[in-house]
Amino acid sequence: MTLLIECIIFCILFTLTVPRHGSKDPLSVIDDYPPAVRKRCEELGLITEGKKERSKKALARKLIFCIVVAVVFALILRYFNHARSFGAGFFYSYILWLVVDWYDALVIDCIWFCHSIKWIIPGTEDMTDAYHDYWFHIKESLKGMFLGLPVCLLVGGITALLEVLFPGVMLL
């Protein structure tokens, strides 16, 4: 039951952060748009080299986000799920990661993003097919599943380290 509640809470928190921010300023999350839309934005001069997919700044931001997620997951799993081993930390965190990943792909991307005018960037209104590229979002979600592995391995490591440093002690 705890895991189900955590899944719901993480999906809500995800919705309140990443997609909500992006719907206000779509160019701030241009890395998450289909390639055809990114290319058009570049042609229109809406994005520069620094805003291109896989820019160093975007990758650094994602890396920092992953480290913060790993630490937060480890602390939450230790306190609420009583995870004290590497395996428990990895298993619980990967389940949470998968739920949020697929929630992002199916609900946020394929339903909300593909069908809301809030996400359409001015100058790309005629690109309906590109915005409705469901397969792009599913492929990105599959990549996200693999991106979750190192993050969740880190969660497992932090969980095990917390047990070594604070054996039997519940933090928080």
Side-chain angles (χ1 to χ4, degrees):
M1 186 58 137
T2 302
L3 190 59
L4 175 63
I5 293 168
E6 288 168 339
C7 288
I8 292 167
I9 289 170
F10 275 106
C11 287
I12 290 169
L13 289 174
F14 182 83
T15 303
L16 292 174
T17 56
V18 179
R20 195 155 180 237
H21 171 70
S23 67
K24 291 179 182 176
D25 179 16
L27 290 175
S28 70
V29 290
I30 193 68
D31 289 343
D32 298 326
Y33 275 71
V37 176
R38 287 193 308 263
K39 184 176 180 187
R40 172 74 66 85
C41 289
E42 189 177 325
E43 291 168 357
L44 293 171
L46 298 174
I47 58 173
T48 60
E49 285 292 317
K51 285 274 191 176
K52 280 189 174 178
E53 177 185 25
R54 312 287 185 239
S55 71
K56 288 180 183 179
K57 187 177 180 180
L59 288 174
R61 193 172 52 236
K62 289 179 182 182
L63 179 62
I64 291 168
F65 174 77
C66 288
I67 292 169
V68 169
V69 165
V71 171
V72 170
F73 270 21
L75 291 171
I76 288 171
L77 295 175
R78 181 165 173 86
Y79 184 74
F80 292 106
N81 301 67
H82 307 290
R84 294 184 175 174
S85 67
F86 173 85
F90 173 77
F91 173 76
Y92 284 125
S93 64
Y94 196 61
I95 294 296
L96 288 167
W97 184 280
L98 289 177
V99 168
V100 173
D101 181 59
W102 283 100
Y103 168 79
D104 178 37
L106 300 174
V107 176
I108 301 297
D109 293 343
C110 291
I111 295 174
W112 187 12
F113 173 85
C114 290
H115 298 283
S116 174
I117 60 171
K118 285 186 173 192
W119 293 95
I120 296 176
I121 298 169
T124 65
E125 296 89 350
D126 63 322
M127 302 183 73
T128 306
D129 289 344
Y131 279 101
H132 291 167
D133 186 358
Y134 304 110
W135 183 237
F136 166 78
H137 298 293
I138 299 301
K139 288 188 299 188
E140 290 299 304
S141 181
L142 293 172
K143 291 177 189 176
M145 290 172 65
F146 290 104
L147 176 65
L149 288 172
V151 173
C152 294
L153 288 169
L154 181 58
V155 172
I158 294 169
T159 303
L161 181 63
L162 288 172
E163 183 59 24
V164 169
L165 296 175
F166 308 102
V169 175
M170 285 304 176
L171 303 174
L172 298 177

